[in-house]
Amino acid sequence: MPSFCDSVCKPNECKTKIRSDIASYVWTIEDFHFYEAKGEPLYSHVFSSVTNNQVKWYLRLNPNGETDAKDSISLFLYLSQHSSIEKNEKIFAEITFCVVNNGGQEEFCKTLTINIFPDVKNWGLGEFIKKDATFENKILSNNTLTIRCKVKFSDMNDNIAEDHQCDCNIEVPECNLYENLASLFENQEFTDVVLSVNGKDFPAHKNILAARSPVFRAMFTHSTKEKELNRVEIEDISEQVVDEMLKYIYTGKCLNLKKFAEGLLAAADKYDLYQLKAMCAKSLFEGLSVENAASVLALADMHGVKELKNKVIKFIVSNPTEVMGTEGWKNIRSNFELVDEVCLALAKQSKQTTN
């Protein structure tokens, strides 16, 4: 089988080179135990090599493995449906999965050698790493799991031989898409729609809003007043929150999340910004206290964040007297269904303690 390695270049010689690429991806999963308790697979963003974006990949990680034992982590590499591979094309690839320990070093590296065909979409390990004491103490840092995946892949078609006098070492600059889009928002260039909040206008771009939010996409696709007037009136969200929401839409980042988490949760729910909604839920849980537990519970219930709601109920069950003595609890007592859920959880806890 041909090697990935290139021979040394010499004048007036022809060498056969297997065209190869390397796609390297680091996936950081914060609050790992939260997703472990949730028990659902996680999916990474799509990634590709720097020089070849025709072949795209993404990862699927199951924090509880593929068996009922739940004592390991499974990890699989998927070929994205957006990859451009011909039906008769096959690719040879070498996949390496590693975890990064607390010291930044790679550990538990495992390598798979595969042939990729368009009709085969995923490869991986049902038992990538055991969740034992070593995993907890050495791998998880601040409840954060870091995975590194490297895919070295090569075209194996008949036309792989090429004549070269020598290789060129071309430096590829880093992508600055984040800065570009942030500048586009700040400079308000080429805007074609306005979000109006209490008389304050936020110029924006329909295509970016539609690409990030299914709600905006539907708004600008169908015959709506907003599409006709190129203007969206927002009455139930504050100016500051809309500003932060737009910055997130353009850049994928939210620098003032902790300050505006409650308002952003409502905005994310309204415009179906699922990632921002999860970010807000995590921030609210991290800032959970006796004083705000009741109000956070009401928010989680109102906006359908089940994971956050369950965690807050567990917190209240652990601190019932303190929480029920707060002003926030008095404010939600009229929500009988929500109070009943807390009382039911308290009864179950009391029964378990008695048994």
Side-chain angles (χ1 to χ4, degrees), residues 224-287:
T224 62
K225 178 179 66 175
E226 290 81 4
K227 180 183 178 181
E228 180 181 350
L229 300 178
N230 296 324
R231 189 176 187 85
V232 180
E233 298 286 347
I234 301 176
E235 300 178 351
D236 53 351
I237 306 175
S238 70
E239 299 173 21
Q240 296 92 334
V241 170
V242 169
D243 186 49
E244 291 295 326
M245 179 187 73
L246 285 171
K247 288 175 180 176
Y248 164 79
I249 286 175
Y250 277 78
T251 67
K253 297 184 179 182
C254 193
L255 302 181
N256 296 305
L257 178 62
K258 186 175 181 180
K259 181 178 180 181
F260 296 107
E262 293 187 8
L264 283 169
L265 178 64
D269 186 33
K270 178 176 180 179
Y271 293 106
D272 199 10
L273 301 167
Y274 68 92
Q275 185 190 40
L276 179 59
K277 190 173 180 180
M279 290 165 61
C280 293
K282 180 181 178 183
S283 178
L284 288 168
F285 179 69
E286 289 174 347

Side-chain angles (χ1 to χ4, degrees), residues 27-187:
W27 187 13
T28 300
I29 302 170
E30 298 179 347
D31 199 7
F32 175 79
H33 289 312
F34 174 83
Y35 297 106
E36 184 182 35
K38 186 178 178 182
E40 297 178 358
L42 303 174
Y43 295 87
S44 75
H45 291 298
V46 174
F47 63 95
S48 61
S49 73
V50 174
T51 58
N52 183 354
N53 62 1
Q54 299 303 308
V55 183
K56 304 176 187 292
W57 321 83
Y58 65 93
L59 296 170
R60 175 177 71 86
L61 182 144
N62 191 334
N64 293 318
E66 304 297 307
T67 68
D68 294 335
K70 298 183 179 180
D71 60 349
S72 63
I73 294 172
S74 64
L75 184 62
F76 290 85
L77 176 72
Y78 282 72
L79 187 63
S80 171
Q81 62 179 353
H82 301 295
S83 296
S84 299
I85 300 179
E86 299 296 332
K87 290 184 178 180
N88 62 344
E89 187 176 6
K90 66 177 181 179
I91 296 174
F92 173 74
E94 187 178 85
I95 307 167
T96 302
F97 297 129
C98 298
V99 293
V100 181
N101 65 23
N102 297 347
Q105 303 298 315
E106 293 182 357
E107 288 203 32
F108 302 100
C109 294
K110 297 181 180 179
T111 299
L112 303 175
T113 301
I114 60 173
N115 285 327
I116 299 173
F117 297 89
D119 56 341
V120 181
K121 298 298 183 183
N122 67 85
W123 310 263
L125 301 164
E127 187 177 291
F128 169 50
I129 184 173
K130 285 282 189 181
K131 295 189 293 184
D132 52 17
T134 301
F135 172 79
E136 286 288 339
N137 300 326
K138 194 174 181 181
I139 302 303
L140 285 187
S141 176
N142 297 322
N143 196 16
T144 297
L145 175 65
T146 302
I147 300 289
R148 178 171 285 126
C149 174
K150 183 169 70 173
V151 188
K152 194 171 187 179
F153 57 101
S154 173
D155 188 347
M156 290 189 64
N157 289 327
D158 295 333
N159 61 346
I160 60 177
E162 298 179 354
D163 290 342
H164 295 278
Q165 291 299 319
C166 59
D167 291 334
C168 295
N169 190 8
I170 301 175
E171 183 177 350
V172 179
E174 291 185 7
C175 176
N176 56 352
L177 181 62
Y178 166 80
E179 291 83 358
N180 294 152
L181 290 177
S183 175
L184 187 66
F185 172 69
E186 294 295 338
N187 296 333

Side-chain angles (χ1 to χ4, degrees), residues 293-294 297 312-320 323-324 329 342 346:
L297 177 62
V312 178
I313 289 177
K314 287 182 181 179
F315 178 84
I316 295 175
V317 168
S318 299
N319 306 274
V323 173
M324 292 179 183
W329 181 260
V342 176
L346 279 167

